[in-house]
Amino acid sequence: MGILAVFALPLLLLGISGIIYIYQTVIWLVSKSAVQNKVVVITDAISGLGKECSRVFHSGGARLVLCGRTWEKLEALYDALISVADPSTTYTPKLILLDISDIDYIQDVAKEILNCYGCVDILINNASMKVKGAVQSISLELDKKIMDANYFGPITLTKAILPNMISRRTGQIVLINSIQGKIGVPFRAAYAASKHAAVGFFDCLRAEMEEFDISVSTVNPTFICSYHHQPAPGNWEASIWKFFFRKVTYGVHPAEVAEEVLRTVSSKKQEVLMANPIPRAAVYIRTFFPEMFFAIVASGIREKLKTEQEN
């Protein structure tokens, strides 16, 4: 009996692990099959996250239309995808030059996108621009530039593609946004404002598109880190806000976000929050206990300023 008890727990854990692995594998295969033969448009495909989304959807058999600001980088991505692809199960990607912050040019680019296959099944709004600094140090011109890239650009492209989806009464629109569309982080006012605006627009769009069977999803990661990103050490570690901020800066790898985008497309989930427990809790505290949240943020800023003065 003693021997059985010793082996029972490891065997149980092994069995549970096996079941979880099989479940995740099945979900992954189902997710990939959901995008097979679909026309998928990815903006800013040359970014770290854009490349991972391209890889995931290409391997799933999607007909990709990859958009980016630099033709050379688009060609490099094209070569990377083709070099590892199975020609019998994948399609050759189409490449489109697109600067999402150039609003006047987007309508023409949208026509070029639609001309690739005659339709768009899935639009992934991935492009984004960041800026960090105190409100008084950021010019209004830069504020507008951030809004163009993070808000007006994505909604302009979405509006240009939307009539095609409505006429076919099918389609999916995915906005890769940020947790800062839910909470404002100090010294990122312009970025947070643009992300809040985008969330508001796509939340309204989701309700309006329901009658046309068009799904709208938002994926909100804390922070998308680079492939070799390591958080810089700080000298005010004891701060509650610093503890939260360190959790934010650890972020998620682009590959994790890309896989979540694929699952979101497959399940048509309306909203996803990719966050560690601390920033996830911050979102709920901001919603249900706003005064507490504001107090924590304010104390963190005061401590940061004090530390900078001491140094």
Side-chain angles (χ1 to χ4, degrees):
M1 183 61 113
I3 296 176
L4 289 176
V6 169
F7 286 102
L9 183 57
L11 289 173
L12 179 61
L13 293 175
L14 182 62
I16 293 174
S17 300
I19 292 171
I20 293 174
Y21 175 78
I22 293 171
Y23 173 77
Q24 290 177 337
T25 302
V26 170
I27 293 297
W28 174 246
L29 293 174
V30 170
S31 298
K32 290 183 70 173
S33 65
V35 301
Q36 190 171 15
N37 301 323
K38 299 289 186 182
V39 178
V40 179
V41 177
I42 302 175
T43 63
D44 197 16
I46 58 178
S47 66
L49 175 55
K51 290 176 183 177
E52 289 296 337
C53 285
S54 301
R55 177 187 61 80
V56 167
F57 281 86
H58 187 250
S59 65
R63 293 181 285 178
L64 291 182
V65 180
L66 306 178
C67 304
R69 298 177 61 179
T70 308
W71 186 256
E72 290 76 14
K73 291 182 179 181
L74 281 173
E75 287 184 323
L77 174 59
Y78 174 93
D79 293 338
L81 293 174
I82 294 300
S83 65
V84 296
D86 180 355
S88 64
T89 59
T90 59
Y91 293 89
T92 302
K94 307 285 187 181
L95 307 180
I96 301 288
L97 274 176
L98 171 63
D99 180 356
I100 200 69
S101 63
D102 189 351
I103 308 302
D104 296 331
Y105 182 60
I106 290 178
Q107 292 287 347
D108 294 332
V109 175
K111 293 177 183 177
E112 191 177 348
I113 289 172
L114 289 169
N115 286 337
C116 289
Y117 291 104
C119 68
V120 172
D121 295 307
I122 302 166
L123 171 60
I124 300 177
N125 287 297
N126 169 55
S128 182
M129 181 181 292
K130 298 177 182 178
V131 64
K132 180 180 178 182
V135 170
Q136 66 272 21
S137 68
I138 303 297
S139 67
L140 188 59
E141 181 181 358
L142 184 52
D143 284 336
K144 291 178 179 178
K145 190 173 182 179
I146 295 296
M147 286 298 293
D148 281 344
N150 296 351
Y151 175 68
F152 286 111
I155 74 166
T156 302
L157 181 60
T158 298
K159 286 187 172 186
I161 299 296
L162 209 51
N164 178 271
M165 291 185 174
I166 291 175
S167 66
R168 297 166 57 235
R169 300 189 71 86
T170 185
Q172 290 182 259
I173 299 169
V174 179
L175 171 69
I176 300 177
N177 207 48
S178 167
I179 193 175
Q180 292 188 55
K182 296 291 185 180
I183 56 174
V185 177
F187 304 109
R188 292 163 179 79
Y191 180 75
S194 67
K195 293 301 182 179
H196 273 74
V199 166
F201 177 89
F202 283 93
D203 280 353
C204 295
L205 180 65
R206 180 183 299 113
E208 294 180 22
M209 291 299 105
E210 188 173 350
E211 64 173 303
F212 301 110
D213 292 326
I214 298 171
S215 64
V216 178
S217 306
T218 55
V219 178
N220 304 290
T222 52
F223 171 79
I224 300 173
C225 58
S226 66
Y227 289 97
H228 306 292
H229 175 80
Q230 291 294 333
N235 53 5
W236 41 299
E237 304 293 340
S239 166
I240 297 175
W241 180 252
K242 177 62 179 179
F243 179 66
F244 163 66
F245 184 73
R246 286 181 64 218
K247 292 295 183 181
V248 171
T249 56
Y250 276 107
V252 288
H253 193 278
E256 295 178 66
V257 183
E259 291 170 2
E260 184 58 51
V261 170
L262 180 63
R263 286 191 292 269
T264 300
V265 167
S266 175
S267 64
K268 296 186 178 181
K269 193 171 183 178
Q270 295 178 340
E271 186 174 63
V272 176
L273 180 62
M274 298 185 69
N276 293 317
I278 297 300
R280 184 181 292 271
V283 173
Y284 292 110
I285 292 172
R286 169 64 180 86
T287 302
F288 298 107
F289 308 100
E291 292 184 1
M292 179 189 297
F293 176 82
F294 297 145
I296 292 172
V297 173
S299 67
I301 296 300
R302 286 194 297 269
E303 186 170 348
K304 181 177 185 298
L305 294 174
K306 180 181 178 182
T307 303
E308 289 176 349
Q309 290 172 357
E310 290 175 352
N311 293 335

